DNA sequence: CTGAAAGCGCTTACAG
DNA sequence: CTGAAAGCGCTTACAG
């Protein structure tokens, strides 16, 4: 658009030096290789001309794009903006840029987006779409692609991940419900194809003990799936007095189904969510939920990837971030038995 | 990361042709320039080798990055994910990629991010951070940078924009309140440095008529600013029975201040928001608000920019999208006078 | 400390 | 229809 941007050669000419010298002067890492007086002259010329280095040309030469691909299912799912923001913040601090794509939980779309990112030669990937079994990620890891998963894990040994301590979160939630007097606690489990769904269910079963609690699996982490699952739950296990939802959206579905049946939360049924998504405190009723540090998750994932990209031989770590139950108004003592 | 990706030359060699021919065969636009048998051989070789074209190299040569810079204040503001998603969806359809950055309403940060995008040679910008007076955008427009604003406008003649019909939205909201019987309607105006703040205020004053309604300006489109403004409003204009908030976050602040004073919505005060942000229907109380088609806004903004970038001499249009009042539970008839 | 040269991976007039 | 060559804007060994 702009009428030909000045190049390094333009700057060099203006400063009366060779473009190689200009390149060295303008790069902080090599600036000490040039006489400070010359460097200064070049800097001034660059500023005067409004020179903006061409990152693409630089990347072509160095085979590093300083760009990172970020895969999320859908940015409009309120879970992801804080994660993405955390990623961007930390990436920025290291001079990287995020290339963000949505997969809509569609494998074909995910492959297309992945190829698009690859064609832009991203240096690595931060993946929030991981399923436990994930051929695309397996292939990428096989090729030596730098890869970090966030919020979820993939069952690929050696793939670094940043996740919340979901098991502890479940334990806190169940303990809270027990303390209120609940004995018939059910779990609206998230999809078992995804690590969070599996981990939270396993933790629930462990907390529920040998007697066990009712479990209904949701088709997805959506309000609609949560509502459908709640329908089944209330029909099959009418004695249930408390529910631990796989996430906040599922909890929202439970609240909707409750309302549709003319039952009240928490009077008739206590509901605990998972994630503490934005504005969960403003819902009707304000939602008791397990807070997961999403922004920090993104920050750590970005840091992990940067370490991988720049470090000599960084060990692949998995970072587990603490979770915390936030008690609000959707939980209360169980109703007296009829 | 991956052990040297195959280049066009590798593909050409594998197919026994010159790389120029391979280039033509692999590009849909030039494929007809090569014998279809040869083209097929090249395509097969490319697939076999797992060839992924290098968009950076292509961009260097063609001086088109097929990337677009997108500026938002803060992705975690629930207003923006739908807009960004709309942008991405339409950009994708045209082979463009969005480079998304957050400015945090900080001018220095915005300049830094803008320069970063410029260094990545984005073909144009979609700007959701526009202020009415915006030196950075003025400079960019001056240089001939392709630019579209979304949701807000900048006072730069000839700059295309996609906005909601805010004036009509305000009219609908005020009419609704009037019909309920309200006569003392106040406006918690958004910041006047931003077009939405100014347009909605102007429309409100027009609807309020010569008698006028109370107006308090918020320092920002935030819950906190909304709460502070509500405090001033209730102190100075205790007779107010209904409030039109500059946006939903401001409305949320109003609800918070109300709750803190032990007053109820809608019984003591009706509140109308603006935007219909995600989950506004799940708030306590479900919020009456003016729906703005954010996803569509993003779609249209992306289309406008693509037109600008690819069209011969496209006229700069401004697109105004319809808004619609959504009546929920935060509005009711005014309380009987004491 | 600075310059000359090569090359990153493409595309595209220009020949043939 | 295909090839040879130049060049997009950088960086970086290699000389001097």
């Amino acid at each position: 658009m702009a009428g030909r941007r000045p190049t390094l050669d333009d700057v060099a000419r203006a400063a009366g030096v060779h473009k190689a010298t200009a390149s060295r002067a303008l790069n902080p890492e090599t600036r000490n290789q040039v006489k400070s007086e010359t460097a200064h002259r070049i800097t001034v010329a660059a500023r005067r001309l409004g020179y903006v280095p061409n990152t693409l040309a630089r990347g072509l030469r160095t085979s590093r794009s300083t760009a990172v691909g970020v895969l999320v299912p859908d940015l409009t799912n309120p879970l992801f903006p804080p994660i993405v923001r955390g990623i961007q913040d930390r990436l920025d601090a290291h001079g990287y840029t995020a290339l963000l794509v949505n997969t809509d939980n569609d494998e074909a779309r995910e492959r297309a987006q992945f190829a698009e990112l690859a064609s832009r030669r991203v240096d690595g990937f931060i993946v929030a779409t991981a399923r436990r079994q994930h051929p695309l990620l397996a292939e990428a890891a096989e090729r030596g692609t730098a890869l970090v998963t966030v919020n979820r894990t993939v069952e690929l040994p050696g793939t670094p991940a940043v996740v919340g301590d979901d098991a502890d979160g479940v334990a806190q939630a169940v303990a809270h419900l027990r303390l209120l007097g609940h004995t018939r606690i059910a779990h609206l489990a998230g999809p078992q194809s995804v690590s969070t769904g599996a981990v939270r269910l396993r933790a629930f079963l462990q907390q529920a003990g040998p007697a066990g609690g009712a479990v209904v699996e949701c088709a997805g982490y959506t309000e609609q799936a949560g509502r459908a699952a709640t329908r089944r739950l209330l029909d099959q296990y009418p004695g249930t007095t408390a529910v631990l939802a796989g996430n906040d959206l599922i909890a929202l579905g439970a609240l909707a189904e409750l309302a549709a049946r003319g039952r009240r939360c928490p009077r008739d049924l206590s509901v605990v969510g998972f994630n503490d998504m934005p504005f969960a405190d403003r819902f009707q009723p304000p939602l008791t939920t397990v807070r997961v540090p999403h922004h920090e998750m993104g920050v750590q994932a970005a840091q992990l990837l940067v370490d991988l990209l720049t470090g000599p031989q960084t060990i692949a770590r998995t970072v587990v971030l603490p979770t915390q139950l936030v008690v609000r108004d959707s939980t209360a003592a169980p109703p007296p038995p009829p």
Side-chain angles (χ1 to χ4, degrees), chain A:
Chain A
M1 227 41 209
R4 202 174 81 73
R5 285 193 163 277
T7 72
L8 196 53
D9 219 3
D10 296 329
V11 175
R13 216 161 2 226
V17 297
H18 191 266
K19 66 175 168 185
T21 308
S23 171
R24 293 187 188 102
L26 264 19
N27 184 337
E29 316 232 308
T30 47
R31 175 158 187 152
N32 61 329
Q33 291 174 24
V34 16
K35 191 157 55 156
S36 75
E37 191 213 315
T38 314
H40 182 252
R41 216 168 64 237
I42 294 168
T43 308
V44 168
R47 186 164 26 229
R48 185 166 57 77
L49 296 180
Y51 172 69
V52 178
N54 185 328
T55 303
L56 276 49
R58 171 183 240 260
L60 182 58
R61 177 58 227 243
T62 60
S63 41
R64 294 181 59 245
S65 63
T66 57
V68 164
V70 177
L71 274 57
V72 300
D74 176 12
L75 186 60
T76 64
N77 179 326
L79 181 60
F80 296 109
I83 296 179
V84 170
R85 197 43 158 105
I87 291 172
Q88 292 175 318
D89 288 347
R90 184 53 61 96
L91 243 31
D92 259 21
H94 290 278
Y96 285 82
T97 291
L99 266 45
L100 177 69
V101 300
N102 305 280
T103 67
D104 290 325
N105 293 319
D106 177 320
E107 198 166 338
R109 186 172 156 88
E110 182 171 47
R111 280 189 181 272
Q113 298 281 26
F114 192 92
E116 171 63 29
L117 293 172
S119 89
R120 292 189 186 268
R121 292 297 187 270
V122 293
D123 295 328
F125 292 86
I126 299 177
V127 180
T129 57
R131 282 166 281 117
R132 292 162 64 196
Q133 303 295 328
H134 209 133
L136 175 63
L137 296 184
E139 295 160 24
E142 185 70 26
R143 282 196 307 271
T145 305
L147 204 65
V148 171
T149 70
V150 62
N151 191 41
R152 314 184 338 187
T153 58
V154 57
E155 287 172 9
L156 278 176
T159 303
V162 179
V163 295
D165 192 343
D166 285 0
D168 186 56
V170 169
Q172 292 179 56
V174 173
H176 165 65
L177 293 170
R178 282 254 163 73
L179 211 60
L180 287 172
H182 292 276
T183 54
R184 308 183 128 197
I185 306 172
H187 182 40
L188 296 168
Q192 295 300 298
S193 54
V194 160
S195 69
T196 47
V199 167
R200 291 171 195 171
L201 172 56
R202 188 171 351 120
F204 175 78
L205 292 175
Q206 196 169 320
Q207 298 298 327
V215 172
V216 179
E217 183 180 340
C218 302
Y221 277 125
T222 64
E223 179 172 348
Q224 188 195 322
R227 183 161 177 184
T230 304
R231 201 172 295 134
R232 278 178 281 146
L233 177 74
L234 295 180
D235 289 345
Q236 292 176 30
Y237 307 92
T240 303
T241 62
V243 158
L244 171 61
N247 80 348
D248 292 337
L249 260 20
I250 290 174
L252 239 22
L255 294 179
E257 178 60 19
L258 240 37
R261 295 186 177 217
R263 300 186 62 189
R264 308 274 304 266
C265 170
R267 209 190 50 192
D268 300 320
L269 187 76
S270 285
V271 174
V272 181
F274 216 104
N275 278 335
D276 195 19
M277 63 177 259
F279 304 99
D281 57 328
R282 308 302 294 258
F283 290 161
Q284 188 157 6
L287 195 64
T288 295
T289 183
V290 176
R291 176 173 300 161
V292 178
H294 292 116
H295 184 274
E296 180 63 14
M297 222 176 223
V299 168
Q300 298 274 345
Q303 185 62 53
L304 225 51
L305 184 61
V306 170
D307 288 352
L308 228 54
L309 256 21
T310 57
Q313 275 308 56
T314 328
I315 311 277
R317 300 168 273 159
T318 283
V319 177
V320 179
L321 265 23
T323 55
Q324 180 167 24
L325 181 73
V326 181
V327 176
R328 292 196 274 246
D329 301 349
S330 66
T331 48

